Amino acid sequence: MTIKLTMPAALFAIALAGPALAVAQWDVDADGTLNPEEFVSGFASMATFSKFDVDSSGTLDATEWDSGLTEIGEYGNMDLNGDGVVDEAEYNALLFNRYDTNGSGTIETEEMAQVEADLAEDGMLSR
């Protein structure tokens, strides 16, 4: 049996599959999950940290954090090493923990959907 998609249906299917494919490309070892290194590398390629680091200091202060990252948590709790700012390593760790909802230590396919949503044009990390 052959399934024939009309052009609008085909475009709709591609649009739905498109975002999932972007994060899936970060899966260097092709095991269907993102380990912390793949996740950090993927986010580095998207330069999301620098979008929030508007003064290019290499850290996020409370004002920068409050400009779009409050969904992750309160700024005062995000400074994991207690130095008064959130650096890119802390940012990546916080995001990884946000998406690793089952605490497995990897980001599985279902969890990747939230990453995609946050990276989408109107998502938390799109700025």
Side-chain angles (χ1 to χ4, degrees), residues 23 27 29 31-40 95-112 115:
V23 171
D27 182 15
D29 62 10
D31 67 353
T33 65
L34 299 178
N35 64 43
E37 293 80 19
E38 291 168 327
F39 180 84
V40 168
L95 286 178
F96 186 86
N97 290 335
R98 170 187 166 76
Y99 299 120
D100 184 18
T101 57
N102 65 6
S104 68
T106 59
I107 307 296
E108 286 91 18
T109 304
E110 301 80 24
E111 295 164 327
M112 286 184 204
V115 177

Side-chain angles (χ1 to χ4, degrees), residues 25-113:
Q25 291 175 1
W26 299 354
D27 182 15
V28 175
D29 62 10
D31 67 353
T33 65
L34 299 178
N35 64 43
E37 293 80 19
E38 291 168 327
F39 180 84
V40 168
S41 177
F43 265 95
S45 72
M46 301 293 292
T48 63
F49 181 83
S50 63
K51 290 177 186 178
F52 292 100
D53 183 18
V54 294
D55 65 3
S56 300
S57 66
T59 61
L60 303 177
D61 62 27
T63 302
E64 291 167 324
W65 187 269
D66 290 343
S67 70
L69 295 170
T70 56
E71 189 175 322
I72 298 173
E74 292 182 36
Y75 179 77
N77 297 327
M78 302 299 109
D79 178 16
L80 301 177
N81 64 7
D83 66 355
V85 292
V86 175
D87 61 26
E88 192 165 4
E90 290 167 316
Y91 170 84
N92 289 328
L94 294 163
L95 286 178
F96 186 86
N97 290 335
R98 170 187 166 76
Y99 299 120
D100 184 18
T101 57
N102 65 6
S104 68
T106 59
I107 307 296
E108 286 91 18
T109 304
E110 301 80 24
E111 295 164 327
M112 286 184 204

